[in-house]
Amino acid sequence: MIAELGHFTLILAFVIACLQSVIPLVGAQKRWPGWMGFAEPAANAQFLLTATAFGALMYAFVVSDFSLRLVVANSHSAKPMLYKVTGVWGNHEGSMLLWVLIVTLFGAMAQWFGGNLPPTLRARILAVQAMIGAAFFAFILFTSNPFLRSPVPPFDGNDLNPLLQDPGLAFHPPFLYLGYVGLSMAFSFAVAALIEGRVDAAWGRWVRPWTLAAWMFLTIGIGLGSWWAYYELGWGGFWFWDPVENASFMPWLIAAALLHSAIVVEKREALKSWTVLLAIIAFGFSLIGAFITRSGIITSVHAFATDPERGVFLLLILVVFIGGALTLFAARAGVMQAKGVFGVVSRESALVVNNLLLGVSAFVVFVGTIWPLVSEMFFDRKLSVGAPFFNQAFTPFVVVLGLLLPIGAMLPWKRARLARVVRLLTPAAVLALAVGALFWAIQAERTALGPIGLMMGTWLIAGAATDLWQRSGRGGARLGRLMRLPRADWGKAVAHAGLGVTIAGVAGLMAWEVEDIRVVQEGETFDIAGYSITLVGVERVPGPNYISTMAAVALARNGREISTLLPEKRVYPVAGQPTTEAAIDNGFLRDVYVVIGDPQDGGGWAMRVYYKPLANWIWGGTILMAFGGLLSLSDRRYRVAAGARRTRALGVPAE
């Protein structure tokens, strides 16, 4: 009965989404307040009905209702409760229900916090958001219904994919979807503005918090996914340039460009066309990500489904929404005239260069991701585009972006003197060069990657600190003024510094990582990077729904034992799949990473041990970037309604 209730509320939400897609648009065109007002209760009803459907599905997983096909395929009565709950979105159908729940949540939030938006704009935003919801409701109901019953319910289920039974991946999809789907609000704002033919500073301020929230959630989601891959898959890496990883990284890059572009619209009423186009492309990349993971065109541990019919449906959604928005953009581009005029050396120009670098880097990732498919489809050649291509093609853009970022952040609006900014940043540049020279001198192997990466990281961190210090003014009480700076200023500095920390971590790990692979007898000791590793013993340990082969590994340095690591190799009997659980001794400056393998015919165990310098800086920088986004989002000036208390309507009228 609960499942039928969930199915019914899903159908009802679909019907309301269809009505909300049309009635407010007509009302906005005709200036009928009642019809425009229909969007507000409809947005609330959509969210409540979808939340009810999601709750019904979660209930079925929690109580192990094996009369539902989805629960049979993705759960088991012996599974821990955490993974029963997260199993709701650990599959295609459930993840799509989570996707549409977030679509309706953002629509409802636009209604809750958009009271100061002009009525016609608010009605059109909610209508466009409802169109997105209606498309995905149709996708779920017609191709991916999570509430289908089994004709003959089994006694137990098939269990969830063991790789997904991990806390890191339990929380990774919700954050990632909040980012993916959050970009739908920027898309809705862009399309609504195109329909009205008006984009101005107020619009730039309104769209910024939605973009910032989406970027922040994407940052957290990507960071969690990278961290999970690092410690769970046992391969020792943090980024594989997998097509699905790239599918989340591309909208992150475009969202970063959109965020900076919206600043120019807000402050100077320039780059309007570019900002609207970025809003469309950002959500387009989110839809591309959904298509890649669910169409069957790739095989990946991240992929949810391999049904071509679903892929065609998603491709149709992509073509309709992005094609339609681009057509509307082409028709309206002429009315988005820039008001602000700025010099070649100015913050506006710096942000243009920033956006070009981010946009081109996203395009490089896109080409590398789809080229194997293009090659196979049109040239009948199977190619593999891996890390070497991406590292060589993508890294130069990051280097240039990192070098220019502190300078651009300190340039004044409209017209600037470059020499003055360079003079202010000279101490930061000297410090960065000193750090690079120091690590070049003390490193054991002559590689430029590590010193250059640490130099760039120092440059970004010191540049962000210099920017904050200069904003505190001159004279006495600078520290007090520094503490009273707007949160958006602090958020920008923290996010830029976080990027520097991540760059330093990536460079240090890639330059100075040490790997040791060998067969080890119980009781045997060997050394790696100044640490002594001893395989104390191996035993079988039963888990709640798996059997573990667990090794005890003693880690010592200079004769003093630091810790005992417990790497595992687990086998899940129901799913019939093994997983690797790496054991990691975390430190501020390094990780020691141990993986136990299979027993060998001649005795002993296969072991892989890695010494990973600065590994945790990668995710520490990610946390800082997300925290910077949160600080900026908490600035009262950038909330949805802030800056909207103007009596005039949105800016440039259609001509």
Side-chain angles (χ1 to χ4, degrees):
M1 180 64 185
I2 298 295
E4 281 69 28
L5 175 64
H7 192 188
F8 175 74
T9 56
L10 203 58
I11 295 172
L12 194 56
F14 173 50
V15 173
I16 292 175
C18 292
L19 294 174
Q20 187 184 331
S21 301
V22 177
I23 294 175
L25 279 182
V26 176
Q29 184 66 29
K30 300 291 187 179
R31 298 297 195 272
W32 293 342
W35 285 46
M36 288 190 287
F38 173 82
E40 298 172 13
N44 289 329
Q46 260 197 85
F47 171 63
L48 291 175
L49 289 168
T50 310
T52 302
F54 190 80
L57 185 62
M58 182 174 290
Y59 175 81
F61 271 83
V62 168
V63 302
S64 297
D65 181 1
F66 296 118
S67 66
L68 283 186
R69 294 181 184 177
L70 194 65
V71 180
V72 174
N74 296 280
S75 191
H76 190 272
S77 58
K79 192 167 63 172
M81 181 56 68
L82 172 64
Y83 304 126
K84 286 185 178 180
V85 172
T86 59
V88 175
W89 56 78
N91 56 83
H92 167 70
E93 291 83 356
S95 67
M96 289 312 304
L97 185 56
L98 175 62
W99 178 290
V100 80
L101 174 66
I102 296 174
V103 170
T104 61
L105 171 62
F106 275 98
M109 288 175 65
Q111 187 271 315
W112 299 337
F113 303 117
N116 287 318
L117 292 171
T120 55
L121 180 68
R122 183 172 67 248
R124 284 166 171 150
I125 290 169
L126 293 175
V128 175
Q129 191 71 7
M131 291 179 190
I132 298 170
F136 282 98
F137 279 125
F139 176 71
I140 292 173
L141 291 169
F142 298 136
T143 72
S144 310
N145 189 350
F147 296 107
L148 295 177
R149 294 282 191 181
S150 295
V152 181
F155 288 107
D156 221 325
N158 300 331
D159 208 358
L160 180 67
N161 183 341
L163 289 174
L164 305 182
Q165 296 188 40
D166 180 86
L169 210 66
F171 301 105
H172 160 66
F175 279 107
L176 203 61
Y177 287 5
L178 283 166
Y180 270 149
V181 180
L183 291 173
S184 68
M185 280 307 304
F187 176 85
S188 296
F189 267 85
V191 173
L194 288 173
I195 294 173
E196 292 213 351
R198 298 175 177 179
V199 177
D200 72 347
W203 180 88
R205 177 164 292 190
W206 285 320
V207 80
R208 275 189 68 195
W210 298 104
T211 306
L212 185 58
W215 179 86
M216 181 185 70
F217 286 126
L218 263 179
T219 303
I220 296 171
I222 292 171
L224 282 173
S226 173
W227 182 51
W228 166 81
Y230 174 70
Y231 72 78
E232 173 68 20
L233 299 182
W235 62 303
F238 63 93
W239 193 261
F240 192 64
W241 293 107
D242 178 278
V244 180
E245 291 175 337
N246 296 347
S248 64
F249 190 43
M250 289 183 289
W252 184 86
L253 292 168
I254 298 298
L258 170 60
L259 190 58
H260 291 85
S261 188
I263 296 173
V264 184
V265 175
E266 177 190 346
K267 300 293 186 182
R268 300 287 300 144
E269 294 208 36
L271 304 186
K272 296 177 183 179
S273 297
W274 178 244
T275 304
V276 171
L277 182 62
L278 283 174
I280 295 169
I281 294 174
F283 184 57
F285 273 121
S286 295
L287 294 178
I288 289 171
F291 172 71
I292 286 176
T293 55
R294 300 164 199 280
S295 63
I297 63 172
I298 64 160
T299 301
S300 167
V301 67
H302 306 84
F304 277 112
T306 57
D307 185 350
E309 179 185 352
R310 293 169 175 169
V312 171
F313 202 117
L314 285 171
L315 189 60
L316 183 62
I317 292 175
L318 173 66
V319 170
V320 169
F321 279 95
I322 304 307
L326 290 176
T327 302
L328 184 59
F329 174 81
R332 289 289 198 178
V335 303
M336 291 182 287
Q337 299 173 357
K339 286 186 177 181
V341 178
F342 51 88
V344 175
V345 180
S346 63
R347 185 176 297 185
E348 293 94 328
S349 295
L351 288 171
V352 170
V353 173
N354 169 84
N355 288 352
L356 287 174
L357 289 170
L358 288 169
V360 173
S361 60
F363 179 72
V364 167
V365 176
F366 178 69
V367 170
T369 303
I370 67 165
W371 187 251
L373 302 175
V374 173
S375 177
E376 187 172 357
M377 289 174 59
F378 296 102
F379 305 109
D380 197 26
R381 294 179 58 193
K382 291 190 175 182
L383 297 177
S384 176
V385 178
F389 165 81
F390 289 105
N391 291 338
Q392 293 180 21
F394 181 79
T395 303
F397 296 103
V398 176
V399 172
V400 176
L401 182 65
L403 291 174
L404 295 180
L405 195 150
I407 298 173
M410 292 185 63
L411 287 173
W413 294 103
K414 194 172 181 179
R415 189 174 294 106
R417 289 188 299 168
L418 184 61
R420 179 180 179 275
V421 175
V422 171
R423 185 172 64 253
L424 293 173
L425 285 168
T426 297
V430 171
L431 177 61
L433 289 171
V435 168
L438 174 64
F439 280 93
W440 173 263
I442 66 175
Q443 67 180 350
E445 298 181 5
R446 292 300 180 188
T447 171
L449 176 60
I452 290 176
L454 286 168
M455 181 180 68
M456 279 191 57
T458 305
W459 166 244
L460 285 166
I461 296 167
T466 302
D467 186 19
L468 277 179
W469 185 247
Q470 291 300 317
R471 289 176 183 274
S472 66
R474 297 181 180 180
R478 291 188 74 170
L479 188 60
R481 290 196 296 269
L482 187 66
M483 293 298 103
R484 292 193 297 272
L485 284 175
R487 290 184 184 179
D489 290 345
W490 276 98
K492 180 185 75 170
V494 170
H496 289 178
L499 177 62
V501 172
T502 295
I503 288 175
V506 170
L509 189 150
M510 294 180 67
W512 298 313
E513 179 183 56
V514 180
E515 178 183 14
D516 188 292
I517 302 175
R518 64 174 69 199
V519 176
V520 185
Q521 304 290 334
E522 293 189 31
E524 182 181 347
T525 300
F526 61 97
D527 295 331
I528 176 173
Y531 291 86
S532 296
I533 309 291
T534 303
L535 178 59
V536 178
V538 181
E539 61 179 346
R540 291 172 67 85
V541 179
N545 63 330
Y546 60 82
I547 299 171
S548 170
T549 300
M550 181 184 293
V553 178
L555 175 66
R557 185 179 179 88
N558 299 326
R560 183 178 65 86
E561 184 170 324
I562 298 173
S563 65
T564 299
L565 304 177
L566 303 173
E568 298 180 64
K569 197 171 186 65
R570 296 177 180 175
V571 176
Y572 290 74
V574 175
Q577 296 182 34
T579 64
T580 300
E581 303 290 326
I584 307 172
D585 183 70
N586 299 111
F588 179 71
L589 295 177
R590 57 89 187 123
D591 279 357
V592 177
Y593 184 107
V594 181
V595 178
I596 189 70
D598 296 320
Q600 304 299 297
D601 293 337
W605 296 81
M607 274 186 65
R608 283 183 288 128
V609 181
Y610 300 90
Y611 171 76
K612 295 181 170 293
L614 305 184
N616 289 302
W617 288 32
I618 298 171
W619 299 287
T622 302
I623 293 170
L624 283 175
M625 284 189 277
F627 182 63
L630 182 62
L631 278 177
S632 293
L633 197 61
S634 67
D635 191 319
R636 63 182 180 83
R637 299 176 304 164
Y638 300 132
R639 292 172 189 160
V640 174
R645 294 179 172 90
R646 304 181 182 186
T647 55
R648 66 185 180 89
L650 278 177
V652 183
E655 295 178 357

